[in-house]
Amino acid sequence: MLYAALYSLHTTHSIFNVFRYISFRTLLAALTALTISFVLGPVLIRRLTRNHVGQPIRADGPARHRVKAGTPTMGGTLILFSLLLSTLLLGDLTNPYVWLVQLVTLGFGLVGFADDYRKYRRGNSAGLSARHKLIAQSVIAGVAALLLLQVPSFPPIVVMPFFKDVHVHLGWLYLPFAMLVMVGASNAVNLTDGLDGLAIGPVMIAAGTYMIFAYVAGNVKLAEYLQISYVPGAGELCIFCGALAAAGLGFLWFNAYPAQMFMGDVGSLPLGGAIAMVALITKNEIVLVLVGLVFVVEALSVIAQVTYFRWTGGKRIFLMAPIHHHFELKGWPEPQIIVRFWIISIICALLALSTLKLR
Ligand code: 57M
């Protein structure tokens, strides 16, 4: 909105010409999201505390989590509000990709809100059933993927990193593929969100990485030089990614150990889905496995633990899954686990960015 209104003034005041630049609007969107998060964070914490929207702690979890009981949760509402408002203000709202990522973010956010709200009303950690959550996420992801395939310039192909011009044309199979990527990423981030700042750190790193991917994919000269798929209009996703990284940074101020606030499913579910949608649009869906390696390993640790548990009639691979609990039970201090997972995320992001040149 602000972009269209202010840029139109450039005919009379050339200063407003600056709004045509994606880099400028990305910076502005990031500063807007960060400011909103910092200003509204304390207000939200007070509001959640006053309404006793506190985290119930499961008895079967690591003992050290018991002190966290009652920590205000649903802080993801702060992330979503600052992210979506900044994108609406600074994004080009004639760009279908901007609406698609916001649709996924809002849709998954509503599923997470319903889950968190049910936990709040029941006063325990039993929210929506896993089945109902999965169905709701699949419907939202299916609608978003269908709309994505309607965008004329969007190619339903899967691009292989490290190889020039190697891609798989999925045709209508792109629909279930895209749904799998969005729902998988959403639940992987959700599982990872089990220590203070453990999820939001890698989410910010992934958002920054995909900001770069979106910029080069949407720039015909850079795409040609780097020999990657040119996706007209993908550059606008820089504004969304910049706002996401900044909204996450603002939230991290309150989620840093020892956390004053948790994001809740209203935060973890949409953040994974949104990053997945950006990965699909920028044709970097396979490299998402590398960018989001922490999330992938967290999810795989649960799958491996549950499968082995069933196969062996009760034996475990890890002391507890997801894998961050394993390190907790091995005696690693919580901040040490968190910061080491962030370091791994940064290394993975740098390796993922190297695929732009290594092909
Ligand atoms: C999402 N939620 C955290 C917070 C956050 C199948 C099974 C692996 C499912 C899994 C599960 O329940 N996952 C749910 C993880 C929870 O965090 C809340 O949930 C939101 C994210 N969805 O925003 O509102 C707890 O995590 C801690 N936390 C922090 N700081 C944060 O910034 O300390 C969260 C955010 C919070 C708080 O304690 O209460 C969670 O862990 O539930 N289940 C598990 O992860 C359980 N693992 C398990 O059962 N493993 C089994 C089998 C099933 C694999 C095994 O290893 O044998 C663990 N989690 C809990 N208790 N809470 C262990 C048991």
Side-chain angles (χ1 to χ4, degrees), residues 53 85 90 101 112 124 129 133 242 255 265 268 274 300 325 342 356:
V53 185
L85 180 58
L90 279 305
V101 287
N124 59 33
S129 70
K133 260 200 278 194
N255 185 238
D265 284 38
S268 58
L300 289 179
H325 288 314
W342 290 353
L356 287 172

Side-chain angles (χ1 to χ4, degrees), residues 55-58 60-62 65 68 73 119 190-191 193-197 255 259 261-265 268 302 305-306 316 319-322 325 334:
Q55 182 67 48
I57 301 295
R58 285 169 43 178
D60 59 349
H65 281 239
K68 297 172 183 259
T73 187
K119 290 173 189 167
N190 183 43
L191 286 171
D193 193 28
L195 296 179
D196 298 353
N255 185 238
M261 176 165 56
F262 297 153
M263 70 170 73
D265 284 38
S268 58
V302 170
Q305 180 90 325
V306 173
R316 285 180 163 84
L319 296 175
M320 184 179 285
H325 288 314
E334 183 167 346

Side-chain angles (χ1 to χ4, degrees), residues 83 101 104-105 108 182 240 244 269-279:
L83 164 62
V101 287
V104 171
T105 304
F108 279 40
M182 280 184 265
F240 178 84
L244 173 53
L269 294 183
L271 296 184
I275 289 168
M277 188 48 143
V278 173

Side-chain angles (χ1 to χ4, degrees), residues 108 111 132-142 183 186-187 269:
F108 279 40
V111 174
H132 285 151
K133 260 200 278 194
L134 203 55
I135 290 169
Q137 287 177 299
S138 303
V139 168
I140 293 159
V183 176
S186 173
N187 287 296
L269 294 183

